Amino acid sequence: MGRQDMSEKSKKAEMLSLIEKLNEAAMAYYQGSEEIMSNFEYDELYDELIKLEMETGITMAGSPTQKVGYEVISGLPKEAHDHPMLSLDKTKDRDSLVDWLGDHKGLLSWKLDGLTVVLHYREGKLAKALTRGNGIIGEVITGNAKTFINLPLSIPYKKDLTLRGEAIITYEDFQKINESLPENEEHYKNPRNLCSGSVRQLNSEITAKRRVRFIAFGLVSMDNIEAEERFKYRSQEMEWLDNQGFETVERKSVIGDDVVKTVESFENTIDGNPYPSDGLVLVLDDIDYGKSLGRTAKFPRDAIAFKWKDQVAETTLREILWSASRTGLINPIAIFDKVELEGTEVSRASLHNVSIMKSLKMGIGDRIRVYKANMIIPQVSENLTMSDTVRIPVECPVCGTETKLRDDDGIITLHCPNPSCPAKSIKRLTLLTGRNALDIEGISEATLERFTGEGFIREAADIFKIGRYKNEITSMEGFGEKSFENMMKSIEKARNTTAHRLLYAIGIPGIGTANAKLIAAACDENWEKIISLTESDLMEIEGVGPVLARGFVDFFKDHVKASEVSNLRNELYLEEGSSLKDDYFAGLTFVITGSLKAYENRDQLKGVIEQAGGKVAGSVSSRTAYLINNDISSTSGKNKKAKELGVPIIDEATVTRWIQDKKISQVSI
């Protein structure tokens, strides 16, 4: 089928597919990973995308044809909505939906669980974006909205347009974002909270990294005329928004008893739904009829929300477990006899905070009712006994420090005020012992938890003093003389390390392995120079920005952290300066592509090259000295680029020989 035969919807789908392919290829190219398409193929697809954008009049925010300029602001300005936004009346009864709809035709769609956003287009271009706010006044987030990956920046309709939709982050992207976080950083709890925080960022570059999407669910006005005067049916509105380039919410037409069957069909696809949802929305399709019904003080009468009726099970409370976290918050968790809910066995549920636990008047042995909120998250709905015998712990269950209750606007939470509480340091210690840090084999996160729980480890330096607890450790289950000896050998081996490994190991927010190497190299791997760096010193290092520099300096201003780092430093032997680094690759930039044989991965080869004074870049340019590729005859984009620029292509064996000989021999282009 030729492009001229494609529908507008098909063209939009093709555009989104091209954008995804091109962005994926660009990322692979510029980040130095395996190329997935040639330059020729990339250019062909790029030209095809431009043609489709011209034909449709639609340009998506994620399109590689757009040069993105990120916006940084000091605060989100507030602005009144042209059309106030009401909440929807709700029900959990499927039959009541049938009664509500009567003989009229309706549209049933997902009730997306993100952040509602209002968009204004002027002359076909995105002019303004507002959050829902309180329904009357919202926050202006225009710069952030321009980074939503599926949002059209320009559309075919060239007059004024206002529409509503939900900003969301898919479950898949949510998981990837959490997986990308350093081990010592708190992970995000759910897609909705992450999305809300991402949309309301003051720096739109941060929003862009969160892969926020916009799903349209309603047209508000067109050309300063109420949208209801343009279309007779809501279904027409949604189809029109589809053709303007917007991704619209999944919906199905219903009438009469069809509602119950259609609700079930949505219910059966919850597990496969890529978007967070907390129910369904039923809206009257006939716009004039819906408008004639008016509204109450709180709700419009032309739409109603459906919330899943939760499956509830009765069980017996056996324990309240108080779980201390890295933030110092101590949360109550209800432990109860196993019950089956929504097809899975459940035996615990978070009570979230002290206020909720107290309102339920919990007591060991009480009969309670539990359910899964939105069919996913276990919750306690009711306490039938209400003995109210559970007492709030006066000591942290991990470190024994006296706990503190905090009241934030009526919400009471329990905290451990001890900054050195082992519960707050487990992840930091896990990072410190990891392969890219001090690389201590035989000490897992579970082992660290046991040692901190026993009081053997209070801070990082204690790992290197663990030998004094030999008798206690060798008598612990799972530990014997041999395993203890192996652990001690690994600890002693780890004492000899480098400044950049130590810098990464101490867990400064934002300092990954690459930044640690950059900063340490700028200080000739001298630890005293590193910890004396000022913000201005750091800003002079390529790749270090103001946020990173400020966080670095603030970290060492913290006397407790600085003291712990100093104690750790005293347990280590750091290689510095000329003893650590040769310079026979000084001034040379390498690019690595293709698969490797002698090295585990590209990072390992990169480290060896940097050790010799060289640099490794992600793409071939006029500044590239050598392209490393075991397939020298490859027709990949990087090989072609190297040949065009006269950059020599060498294999892995050649660069390995140079490293061994500590000199470069001549190669032919």
Side-chain angles (χ1 to χ4, degrees):
M1 180 175 68
R3 198 172 63 244
Q4 64 274 17
D5 299 321
M6 295 170 66
S7 67
E8 292 299 314
K9 189 176 292 187
S10 298
K11 288 180 181 179
K12 187 184 76 171
E14 179 66 14
M15 287 169 61
L16 290 171
S17 175
L18 287 170
I19 289 169
E20 185 176 356
K21 288 178 183 176
L22 289 167
N23 286 341
E24 186 180 354
M27 184 178 293
Y29 184 86
Y30 289 111
Q31 292 188 358
S33 53
E34 189 70 28
E35 287 185 7
I36 59 177
M37 70 172 64
S38 67
N39 285 357
F40 178 78
E41 184 183 358
Y42 182 94
D43 291 342
E44 273 196 329
L45 296 179
Y46 187 91
D47 291 343
E48 181 69 15
L49 177 59
I50 290 177
K51 290 176 184 176
L52 284 168
E53 288 179 346
M54 293 177 65
E55 287 177 14
T56 61
I58 299 168
T59 306
M60 308 301 292
S63 173
T65 65
Q66 300 300 299
K67 299 291 184 184
V68 177
Y70 297 117
E71 179 181 319
V72 180
I73 55 178
S74 59
L76 294 174
K78 291 181 171 57
E79 189 171 311
H81 291 291
D82 294 336
H83 301 79
M85 301 175 65
L86 300 178
S87 299
L88 294 180
D89 198 3
K90 300 174 180 64
T91 182
K92 290 188 176 184
D93 183 13
R94 299 168 197 228
D95 291 331
S96 68
L97 289 179
V98 178
D99 296 336
W100 182 89
L101 186 60
D103 295 330
H104 300 280
K105 185 180 177 183
L107 284 183
L108 192 65
S109 62
W110 291 112
K111 186 175 182 294
L112 298 173
D113 193 18
L115 186 71
T116 300
V117 172
V118 182
L119 302 179
H120 299 271
Y121 284 76
R122 303 287 181 266
E123 298 180 353
K125 296 187 181 301
L126 178 64
K128 186 167 56 182
L130 296 172
T131 65
R132 182 187 188 279
N134 63 6
I136 305 297
I137 297 174
E139 293 173 310
V140 180
I141 52 153
T142 311
N144 293 342
K146 288 180 178 178
T147 71
F148 295 175
I149 62 175
N150 68 335
L151 184 68
L153 296 179
S154 62
I155 59 176
Y157 185 72
K158 300 306 177 187
K159 298 180 181 180
D160 289 357
L161 171 68
T162 302
L163 70 151
R164 292 172 184 158
E166 200 82 354
I168 58 97
I169 293 176
T170 66
Y171 286 115
E172 181 181 3
D173 286 334
F174 172 74
Q175 183 177 351
K176 287 180 179 177
I177 291 168
N178 263 344
E179 288 174 351
S180 71
L181 294 176
E183 290 185 0
N184 63 320
E185 282 192 24
E186 193 80 33
H187 285 201
Y188 300 107
K189 301 299 183 188
N190 56 62
R192 185 191 186 283
N193 288 353
L194 175 59
C195 182
S196 179
S198 301
V199 170
R200 301 177 66 253
Q201 285 288 330
L202 300 180
N203 184 347
S204 62
E205 186 173 5
I206 298 174
T207 308
K209 293 176 180 177
R210 303 284 176 77
R211 294 182 59 80
V212 180
R213 301 167 191 263
F214 177 82
I215 312 295
F217 59 64
L219 185 52
V220 179
S221 66
M222 300 169 60
D223 194 24
N224 293 323
I225 299 173
E226 294 299 317
E228 289 86 344
E229 297 180 26
R230 288 293 183 109
F231 296 101
K232 183 172 177 57
Y233 300 108
R234 297 286 180 191
S235 52
Q236 292 174 331
E237 285 184 352
M238 301 306 291
E239 288 171 8
W240 185 81
L241 287 173
D242 274 331
N243 292 331
Q244 294 299 309
F246 296 99
E247 183 174 352
T248 57
V249 66
E250 181 186 350
R251 58 201 177 273
K252 296 179 181 180
S253 294
V254 291
I255 189 168
D257 292 339
D258 288 347
V259 176
V260 175
K261 293 179 182 177
T262 310
V263 168
E264 289 177 359
S265 71
F266 274 102
E267 187 177 24
N268 292 334
T269 59
I270 287 176
D271 289 342
N273 185 16
Y275 306 132
S277 169
D278 57 355
L280 302 171
V281 173
L282 178 60
V283 61
L284 292 167
D285 196 25
D286 190 313
I287 295 171
D288 287 339
Y289 175 70
K291 192 175 180 181
S292 71
L293 298 176
R295 64 189 191 186
T296 69
K298 290 185 177 180
F299 311 120
R301 287 196 172 101
D302 64 345
I304 188 170
F306 171 78
K307 306 285 279 187
W308 307 113
K309 192 170 185 178
D310 306 304
Q311 180 183 348
V312 179
E314 190 174 313
T315 183
T316 301
L317 180 69
R318 296 300 178 189
E319 180 185 359
I320 295 293
L321 176 68
W322 294 89
S323 176
S325 71
R326 283 172 284 165
T327 63
L329 186 66
I330 304 175
N331 289 324
I333 298 173
I335 309 297
F336 45 80
D337 292 341
K338 285 183 181 179
V339 291
E340 185 170 313
L341 291 173
E342 313 294 351
T344 60
E345 285 190 339
V346 177
S347 61
R348 60 167 54 201
S350 173
L351 297 173
H352 303 291
N353 54 55
V354 173
S355 290
I356 291 176
M357 190 200 71
K358 294 300 290 181
S359 68
L360 288 166
K361 297 185 178 180
M362 302 293 269
I364 306 305
D366 285 359
R367 293 296 291 173
I368 60 174
R369 286 179 175 159
V370 295
Y371 70 105
K372 278 188 177 180
N374 298 328
M375 306 176 73
I376 298 172
I377 305 168
Q379 304 279 299
V380 176
S381 62
E382 187 180 3
N383 182 1
L384 302 176
T385 310
M386 301 183 74
S387 65
D388 198 19
T389 57
V390 170
R391 295 292 170 255
I392 300 168
V394 295
E395 294 182 348
C396 171
V398 176
C399 69
T401 300
E402 184 180 351
T403 55
K404 301 291 184 184
L405 288 170
R406 186 181 300 168
D407 189 334
D408 296 314
D409 295 326
I411 304 299
I412 300 173
T413 51
L414 187 66
H415 297 260
C416 171
N418 178 12
S420 302
C421 177
K424 299 179 182 180
S425 62
I426 291 295
K427 289 296 182 183
R428 292 200 300 271
L429 293 173
T430 304
L431 170 70
L432 183 135
T433 59
R435 188 183 67 176
N436 292 323
L438 300 188
D439 193 18
I440 306 177
E441 295 179 4
I443 299 187
S444 64
E445 183 170 339
T447 300
L448 288 169
E449 286 180 354
R450 292 178 72 182
F451 287 176
T452 53
E454 293 289 336
F456 302 158
I457 297 175
R458 292 287 180 176
E459 59 176 277
D462 291 338
I463 293 174
F464 294 90
K465 303 172 185 176
I466 202 73
R468 57 188 171 180
Y469 296 107
K470 177 181 178 180
N471 292 337
E472 291 90 340
I473 292 173
T474 52
S475 63
M476 293 171 67
E477 184 180 351
F479 272 95
E481 290 281 347
K482 187 66 176 176
S483 59
F484 179 82
E485 288 174 11
N486 290 338
M487 180 180 68
M488 292 306 301
K489 286 178 182 178
S490 183
I491 289 173
E492 290 305 310
K493 180 182 176 183
R495 287 186 187 275
N496 296 286
T497 189
T498 61
H500 71 259
R501 279 182 171 270
L502 174 57
L503 182 56
Y504 170 67
I506 60 179
I508 301 175
I511 302 294
T513 52
N515 286 330
K517 286 179 181 178
L518 283 172
I519 294 169
C523 297
D524 201 26
E525 293 280 343
N526 183 292
W527 184 250
E528 297 307 316
K529 288 182 182 178
I530 291 171
I531 63 176
S532 300
L533 289 170
T534 64
E535 284 189 43
S536 57
D537 293 336
L538 287 157
M539 292 284 287
E540 291 178 5
I541 300 173
E542 185 180 355
V544 178
V547 175
L548 200 65
R550 193 176 309 116
F552 184 101
V553 172
D554 287 346
F555 181 91
F556 287 105
K557 282 182 180 177
D558 186 315
H559 297 303
V560 173
K561 290 177 181 175
S563 175
E564 290 185 359
V565 171
S566 177
N567 293 340
L568 174 62
R569 167 67 183 90
N570 292 335
E571 297 293 330
L572 305 173
Y573 306 104
L574 301 183
E575 300 176 59
E576 295 184 0
S578 59
S579 67
L580 178 65
K581 189 174 182 178
D582 293 300
D583 61 359
Y584 49 89
F585 281 171
L588 300 179
T589 298
F590 295 78
V591 173
I592 308 169
T593 191
S595 58
L596 300 174
K597 299 174 183 175
Y599 299 89
E600 287 184 16
N601 50 47
R602 293 181 193 177
D603 282 342
Q604 189 182 32
L605 177 55
K606 179 182 177 183
V608 172
I609 291 171
E610 290 175 344
Q611 183 86 5
K615 293 183 178 180
V616 176
S619 58
V620 177
S621 70
S622 58
R623 295 187 294 275
T624 305
Y626 297 98
L627 171 65
I628 303 171
N629 189 349
N630 282 328
D631 187 359
I632 294 177
S633 61
S634 167
T635 58
S636 70
K638 286 183 181 174
N639 274 33
K640 285 182 179 179
K641 189 72 172 178
K643 289 174 182 176
E644 289 172 8
L645 297 174
V647 174
I649 304 173
I650 60 174
D651 59 14
E652 181 184 1
T654 300
V655 76
T656 300
R657 185 174 69 253
W658 291 351
I659 291 166
Q660 291 170 344
D661 296 343
K662 296 195 173 184
K663 67 177 183 179
I664 297 174
S665 54
Q666 189 172 359
V667 296
S668 58
I669 298 177

